[in-house]
Amino acid sequence: MRVRTRYSGVSAGTELTAYRGTNPYLSRKWDTERRLFVEGQTHAYPLAGWGYQEVGEVVEAAPDVTDPPVGSLVWGVWGHRAEAVLPADRLAGHVLPPGVDPLVGVFARVGAIALNAVHAADIHLGDQLAVFGQGVIGLLATRLARLSGARVIAAEGIPARLELAKAFGAVETFDVATGASCAEFVRKRITGCDTAIELSGNVRALHEAIRTVRQGGRVVAAGFYQGDGLGLRLGEEFHHNQVHLVSSQIGGVASWLSHRWDVERLQRTFMELVYREEVDVARLVTHVLPATQAAEAYELLDHHAADVLQLVFSFPDPPDDDCPEESQHQEVT
């Protein structure tokens, strides 16, 4: 089926690593069979189809396709492009209900990332949890952890995001911009957090998350860390408190849940929460810019990150007599 894009969300974390040239895929090759980075290059410029959270209208389908129906609005992954031809089964079950703002569909993937991290944290009712980083995914993790029964402390250096964290369910906030220790802040109130989720992608924040949990506690490293781990001192609290360090990445779910959960279920579960208005994603959208202003958008994210939460590209409908050349020659079969 052919899908015409309405909105495409920008991942301020992953996409900026490509924009800045720090993404490991630009200088190393990912061996999918051995699951190792090796010498080589996975991606090169130009990065075709970058982006992974889109909403669009089904405008054409093969004769044997009925789900999703033509005319429906769907969420999925096809990158920053005006339209795409996709296998129908990739969009089955992804139809936005009538009356739902199409803009919320760009959160399916990032919501799944947050939910994946919350699952990896193995939260139990009454757990004390610290979430480091209150960007889009951090705020969603705060909300999902609160819905899971945790008492959340949100750590962040941007005041506006700390205020949002309270609205998303954090019972306390900690301003990391003060230079004080979040671990000491926590331990003045409780013995230590049971779990911490680190989503800023900052190695020093990961180190502080390790310091924040109690003996035998768990830290979920869900940020995308770049370069060397300067500031991560594993011979200190990590070693002496027997901290469990777990990685969470949207390429798969926690191993102990893989017989029941997969990424598709994560996405659908999150979107159901959005439809039921248990997670208010609309308030996270700070900028909607035409895709033609992509250069200005990345410049904004690169130099004024504190002013942006979720940035979204919009794609206008093409004139009826001005179909893209690719559309004229690419038949849906």
Side-chain angles (χ1 to χ4, degrees), residues 10-293:
V10 178
S11 170
T14 302
E15 292 187 52
L16 274 189
T17 66
Y19 183 81
R20 293 168 173 166
T22 62
N23 191 296
Y25 285 101
L26 297 174
S27 57
R28 302 278 284 171
K29 184 175 179 61
W30 175 241
D31 187 320
T32 55
E33 291 186 3
R34 294 190 294 163
R35 300 196 65 79
L36 289 172
F37 277 98
V38 296
E39 294 299 323
Q41 188 179 46
T42 305
H43 295 317
Y45 290 105
L47 296 173
W50 200 253
Y52 54 71
Q53 41 189 359
E54 285 72 50
V55 177
E57 180 185 358
V58 178
V59 295
E60 186 181 2
D64 60 335
V65 172
T66 58
D67 182 23
V70 172
S72 58
L73 292 175
V74 294
W75 53 266
V77 180
W78 56 85
H80 299 316
R81 59 187 72 197
E83 66 170 38
V85 175
L86 305 167
D89 59 4
R90 278 181 52 184
L91 299 177
H94 291 199
V95 176
L96 289 166
V100 171
D101 184 350
L103 199 58
V104 306
V106 303
F107 288 92
R109 190 74 167 177
V110 290
I113 293 170
L115 182 55
N116 206 26
V118 169
H119 279 187
D122 194 25
I123 293 170
H124 300 266
L125 184 64
D127 273 358
Q128 305 278 351
L129 171 72
V131 179
F132 286 78
Q134 294 295 304
V136 170
I137 299 175
L139 287 163
L140 293 177
T142 292
R143 178 60 181 159
L144 295 172
R146 184 71 185 89
L147 290 174
S148 301
R151 183 180 186 277
V152 182
I153 298 173
E156 168 62 54
I158 300 174
R161 295 185 183 182
L162 289 173
E163 287 302 312
L164 260 180
K166 293 177 184 177
F168 273 61
V171 295
E172 288 191 87
T173 60
F174 179 80
D175 187 350
V176 300
T178 63
S181 165
C182 185
E184 294 179 8
F185 170 82
V186 167
R187 290 177 189 276
K188 288 178 181 178
R189 289 157 173 75
I190 53 178
T191 305
C193 286
D194 300 288
T195 309
I197 299 176
E198 205 300 298
L199 278 159
S200 73
N202 186 302
V203 173
R204 294 184 183 276
L206 179 59
H207 182 71
E208 192 66 10
I210 290 171
R211 297 184 71 231
T212 300
V213 298
R214 64 178 68 208
Q215 186 174 10
R218 172 175 296 192
V219 174
V220 177
F224 190 16
Y225 307 97
Q226 305 297 299
D228 297 329
L230 296 177
L232 183 61
R233 300 186 295 278
L234 298 181
E236 298 181 5
E237 290 83 6
F238 173 75
H239 181 69
H240 288 79
N241 286 333
Q242 299 98 47
V243 173
H244 296 259
L245 183 59
V246 178
S247 173
S248 176
Q249 198 265 351
I250 198 58
V253 302
S255 58
W256 59 92
L257 294 173
S258 59
H259 62 294
R260 294 189 287 117
W261 284 82
D262 57 18
V263 174
E264 177 66 15
R265 185 179 176 188
L266 289 174
Q267 293 182 129
R268 292 196 191 194
T269 298
F270 178 79
M271 291 306 294
E272 285 296 329
L273 293 171
V274 172
Y275 302 152
R276 296 200 301 265
E277 299 182 346
E278 295 186 55
V279 181
D280 183 7
V281 294
R283 68 188 306 177
L284 300 179
V285 178
T286 54
H287 296 74
V288 179
L289 298 176
T292 53
Q293 295 183 20

